Amino acid sequence: MATNQIQWYPGHMHKAGKDITAMLKKVDVCIELLDARIPYSSANPMLAALRGNKPCLKILSKSDLANPQLNTSWQQFYESAPHTKARLADTRKAQGITRIPALCRQLYDENSGSKSIITAMVMGIPNVGKSTVINGLAGRNVAKTGDQPAVTKIQQVIEIEPGFVLLDTPGMLWPKVENKNSGYRLAVTGAIRDTAISHQDIAGFAADYFMQMHPQRLTERYNLEKLPDENTALLEQVGRRMGCLVKGGKVDMDRAAKVLLSDVREGRLGRFTLETPEMMQRELIAVNLAGEEQAKRAWERKRDRKRKWKESTS
């Protein structure tokens, strides 16, 4: 699958970008939710560009599903940035959420001085837990929640407590995922609709990770004596064990892939984090080098076309 060519940018996401730009003038602090299982890949670079130097509170949501040691590593990584605080949040139990207003006020005071009313904007990609956080802060259901991306499609203004106002924004992806691995990670965790790409491709990526990092979890979950050498064979074994069969006893590979992805997303294969700060720095370098090479080839093609045109008209 050419994940670096993912194009999933519905009209409401384009509108969300314009709305965020217009509303940011009124915003004191940005709250960006990240998926603790993919803290870098779930950070929308467009949101970072829109936010600029405004103080930012990074919330690593779903931290209860992520590797505890890497939770700490990522928190330290983001806290090393200027005007930034980072906190972990178990969005299923609202743990780590209640202190958000106080943290936002502290972050604003440290960078801009005191103010009677703080306006914070909640930002993030789809399916990262924004609505769950907002409902936890408000103490009531004011934002829609769901396990599919793009549930929230309009902005909301919510008074959380005296002196603290929250702006909710729709989850927003960016037009093109440059890092192929980030595209896979977004798909594994459900940030991209399952209809956008092949279940088997995404499940294969997840299978490779667990085969390398947590093989025992796979053997225990699916009652396997040993793991095969490659992900397609593993998906076939999972399909047989879980009854994903069609006429003739063949494995329905799409159903098997869905079973594996469901187990990954629901935590039945244990806590996991698909990336580390060091890994993402290496991948970022590789993506930049690839981009430079692509730009160089494009320039050379343009140069050659221009030369040929001159030769043909001389």
Side-chain angles (χ1 to χ4, degrees):
M1 179 194 68
T3 320
N4 56 339
Q5 296 299 316
I6 287 177
Q7 304 285 336
W8 193 70
Y9 202 60
H12 77 270
M13 287 191 181
H14 175 69
K15 182 178 183 299
K18 295 175 65 176
D19 290 345
I20 288 172
T21 301
M23 295 295 289
L24 271 171
K25 296 178 182 178
K26 305 176 183 178
V27 171
D28 302 306
V29 178
C30 294
I31 303 171
E32 183 178 12
L33 265 76
L34 308 172
D35 188 325
R37 299 168 297 178
I38 50 169
Y40 188 91
S41 295
S42 60
N44 185 339
M46 291 179 63
L47 295 180
L50 291 173
R51 187 180 72 243
N53 292 324
K54 284 187 181 290
C56 183
L57 175 61
K58 304 262 190 183
I59 302 294
L60 278 75
S61 72
K62 306 185 182 182
S63 60
D64 53 308
L65 300 177
N67 180 299
Q69 289 75 31
L70 289 177
N71 281 343
T72 302
S73 296
W74 277 107
Q75 184 176 2
Q76 293 172 347
F77 172 82
Y78 281 119
E79 292 234 306
S80 66
H83 315 303
T84 305
K85 292 185 183 295
R87 294 293 184 271
L88 304 175
D90 177 347
T91 49
R92 297 186 175 190
K93 299 180 181 178
Q95 292 178 359
I97 294 174
T98 55
R99 293 195 64 243
I100 286 177
L103 287 168
C104 286
R105 179 169 293 280
Q106 179 185 353
L107 190 56
Y108 179 82
D109 291 348
E110 288 176 358
N111 293 276
S112 307
S114 60
K115 189 177 181 181
S116 58
I117 299 178
I118 299 296
T119 300
M121 176 180 282
V122 182
M123 312 166 80
I125 67 170
N127 200 29
V128 78
K130 288 193 309 89
S131 297
T132 303
V133 167
I134 292 169
N135 291 337
L137 284 172
R140 61 192 189 280
N141 291 330
V142 295
K144 293 181 180 180
T145 60
D147 61 0
Q148 289 293 318
V151 172
T152 304
K153 295 187 179 180
I154 59 172
Q155 283 192 338
Q156 301 183 78
V157 181
I158 306 151
E159 183 176 1
I160 299 300
E161 60 185 39
F164 187 75
V165 176
L166 206 59
L167 304 180
D168 181 21
T169 59
M172 193 174 83
L173 285 169
W174 52 110
K176 182 179 178 182
V177 181
E178 299 289 348
N179 185 341
K180 178 178 67 174
N181 292 324
S182 286
Y184 278 112
R185 294 173 190 133
L186 286 163
V188 166
T189 55
I192 298 171
R193 284 190 185 276
D194 284 344
T195 54
I197 38 186
S198 161
H199 291 118
Q200 191 171 338
D201 283 342
I202 303 308
F205 183 87
D208 283 338
Y209 167 81
F210 279 94
M211 290 169 71
Q212 179 180 355
M213 301 300 296
H214 306 291
Q216 186 176 353
R217 296 182 188 180
L218 293 170
T219 55
E220 291 177 353
R221 170 65 182 165
Y222 303 114
N223 193 25
L224 305 175
E225 292 185 5
K226 66 176 183 177
L227 295 180
D229 294 330
E230 49 90 29
N231 62 45
T232 301
L234 174 65
L235 287 177
E236 186 168 358
Q237 289 187 11
V238 169
R240 291 196 179 280
R241 289 294 187 184
M242 305 303 286
C244 304
L245 303 177
V246 294
K247 188 175 181 179
K250 293 184 178 181
V251 174
D252 184 331
M253 296 296 284
D254 186 67
R255 282 178 58 198
K258 289 178 182 178
V259 167
L260 180 67
L261 288 174
S262 176
D263 286 346
V264 169
R265 293 168 182 171
E266 295 301 319
R268 288 187 283 268
L269 288 175
R271 301 173 68 162
F272 67 93
T273 301
L274 294 176
E275 55 197 26
T276 68
E278 297 77 17
M279 177 193 302
M280 297 316 301
Q281 288 171 351
R282 291 194 300 270
E283 290 186 7
L284 182 59
I285 292 172
V287 168
N288 289 338
L289 289 175
E292 291 173 2
E293 181 63 26
Q294 185 177 9
K296 179 182 177 181
R297 289 197 299 268
W299 179 85
E300 290 173 344
R301 288 194 296 270
K302 183 177 180 181
R303 179 201 60 192
D304 292 343
R305 287 196 299 269
K306 187 175 181 179
R307 186 181 64 242
K308 289 179 180 178
W309 179 82
K310 285 184 177 180
E311 291 174 350
S312 66
T313 56
S314 60

